[in-house]
Amino acid sequence: MNDVTARILSRMITVGDFVSGEALCRECGITRSAVWKHISLLRSEGYSLDAVTGRGYRLSGLTGRPVEAEVLSFLAARRFGRKIAYHPVTASTNILAKTLAVEGVAEGCIVVADSQTGGRGRMGRTWVSPSGVNLYFSLILRPGVPSIRVPQLTLLVAVALHRALSDLSLDLAPMIKWPNDILANGKKLCGVLCEMQSEPDLTHFVVVGIGINVNQSEFPPPLHESATSLFLETGQLFSRAELLASVLNHFEPLYDAWLVEEDLGFILSFLQAHSLLQSKEVTIDQLKRSISGTVRGISRLGELMLDGAEGEIILVSSGEAHLRTSSSII
Ligand code: BTN
């Protein structure tokens, strides 16, 4: 969508009623026939528009696509998401966001894509990113904290995701799986990949990459065993624009509180109450070793606290957690 089309869309969303063709001509500095072309373009992109002689144009339906104008219409956050770079397709929103961050864009800017050709997951995995169905976005942050605190952001994002999903009032019971997943019925719904550029005492920027499986109707094998979407869990379709805004609306106040707090203490009870791993036997796979134990909780610094076999307390700061059942590891 070009800038003028986006501007016309924004105007009609904001007004929420008829906007005269004359007003659109004036505001955008274009002719009547150019306005008509932009209206046709919007229709071809799926927007329903009424055109009534003497009254002008009125938007009667949104598409739910996470384009700037639609996201802004649901956004309450004051800094996060106020600037959105939307791409129909890109390799990875995290890669684009890192480039923008290096160029100096302000905290709160987000990069959103309708699809990714090289979506990145944790541990070098790929994040399958088909078009038209899910959310893939990256938020640029510039927290003035030592880099050792940055991994805590992943858990804060998990809280924001949990709250945004809970606001949908579905029979979903999402659970947070330390450190970066949201699961529903044991399958992955959202993933978070935080990447940063820093020195030990100084964080230059953090890119928070978030993937949410929203309206995807099937997953290829073997992913179908471990991944799910809101659509698959509920049978309903969701506005990606509204959900994206909701995540940012929840995350901004959490982030602001976290900046003034020493640690995650202020949100620990929420994290533990919604933690999939709480009191479970787990194995944590790290690059060079695996650690097993029973989950005692999450520390104020965001580590997973395990009770080891000898009764010792083990603090784990990173890794991939697997639930252990009597016969298998999930
Ligand atoms: C994981 O659970 O492994 C993390 C997945 C993170 C995926 C998101 S989609 C938007 C952003 N861009 C990427 O390339 N990855 C993250």
Side-chain angles (χ1 to χ4, degrees):
M1 190 181 303
N2 67 45
D3 283 356
V4 182
T5 317
R7 199 161 155 197
I8 291 176
L9 176 61
S10 281
R11 183 85 183 107
M12 285 197 296
I13 292 176
T14 312
V15 172
D17 200 348
F18 281 98
V19 184
S20 72
E22 196 190 331
L24 293 174
C25 288
R26 209 179 35 247
E27 283 158 20
C28 302
I30 53 174
T31 61
R32 282 273 182 160
S33 71
V35 167
W36 178 248
K37 275 190 200 137
H38 290 292
I39 296 290
S40 304
L41 253 166
L42 286 172
R43 285 199 172 117
S44 71
E45 292 208 9
Y47 292 95
S48 307
L49 290 150
D50 306 323
V52 175
T53 314
R55 301 191 73 188
Y57 306 98
R58 181 177 60 184
L59 195 64
S60 52
L62 295 173
T63 63
R65 261 199 301 271
V67 294
E68 186 166 33
E70 290 206 32
V71 175
L72 289 180
S73 71
F74 297 105
L75 197 68
R78 295 166 73 130
R79 305 186 321 284
F80 291 4
R82 289 285 151 195
K83 180 118 195 53
I84 299 176
Y86 173 83
H87 296 263
V89 57
T90 189
S92 155
T93 57
N94 267 29
I95 294 176
L96 270 183
K98 274 192 271 182
T99 307
L100 290 177
V102 169
E103 287 170 1
V105 301
E107 174 167 273
C109 290
I110 61 169
V111 178
V112 188
D114 187 52
S115 68
Q116 299 183 119
T117 52
R120 291 146 52 120
R122 288 176 76 234
M123 312 258 178
R125 285 190 292 253
T126 53
W127 185 260
V128 178
S129 310
S131 70
V133 284
N134 297 330
L135 273 171
Y136 320 108
F137 62 101
S138 302
L139 168 68
I140 294 161
L141 298 177
R142 299 185 181 281
V145 302
S147 54
I148 193 150
R149 284 193 62 194
V150 168
Q152 295 169 19
L153 279 172
T154 306
L155 287 165
L156 268 195
V157 177
V159 173
L161 286 167
H162 192 285
R163 289 183 171 170
L165 294 171
S166 302
D167 280 357
L168 298 173
S169 305
L170 307 166
D171 199 8
L172 196 65
M175 297 300 280
I176 296 170
K177 178 166 175 263
W178 180 95
N180 78 315
D181 294 344
I182 302 286
L183 275 71
N185 286 322
K187 291 184 171 184
K188 187 153 162 169
L189 200 54
C190 318
V192 182
L193 177 66
C194 287
E195 299 184 272
M196 69 172 155
Q197 193 183 81
S198 65
E199 296 163 39
D201 288 336
L202 181 68
T203 306
H204 297 299
F205 64 79
V206 181
V207 165
V208 178
I210 300 175
I212 310 178
N213 297 329
V214 185
N215 296 323
Q216 190 162 347
S217 57
E218 54 182 357
F219 288 87
L223 214 55
H224 67 299
E225 282 169 15
S226 58
T228 190
S229 69
L230 283 175
F231 174 75
L232 286 172
E233 293 302 316
T234 66
Q236 297 176 43
L237 292 171
F238 296 86
S239 159
R240 289 177 288 154
E242 185 170 3
L243 184 57
L244 166 47
S246 175
V247 172
L248 298 175
N249 293 343
H250 281 292
F251 186 45
E252 188 179 271
L254 285 165
Y255 175 73
D256 287 344
W258 176 78
L259 285 178
V260 296
E261 299 282 337
E262 293 286 294
D263 51 38
L264 291 171
F266 72 105
I267 203 71
L268 217 48
S269 59
F270 185 96
L271 275 168
Q272 294 195 164
H274 299 94
S275 165
L276 180 82
L277 304 181
Q278 186 63 34
S279 307
K280 303 275 183 5
E281 286 189 31
V282 297
T283 294
I284 313 294
D285 289 336
Q286 296 181 324
L287 280 180
K288 292 196 176 139
R289 60 176 188 156
S290 291
I291 308 160
S292 294
T294 306
V295 175
R296 169 185 275 255
I298 294 170
S299 78
R300 297 172 73 96
L301 299 180
E303 302 133 313
L304 196 66
M305 295 189 296
L306 304 182
D307 287 321
E310 314 292 321
E312 76 282 23
I313 296 179
I314 311 166
L315 294 176
V316 188
S317 56
S318 67
E320 184 87 352
H322 302 277
L323 284 175
R324 290 162 63 91
T325 63
S326 50
S327 56
S328 65
I329 296 181
I330 301 169

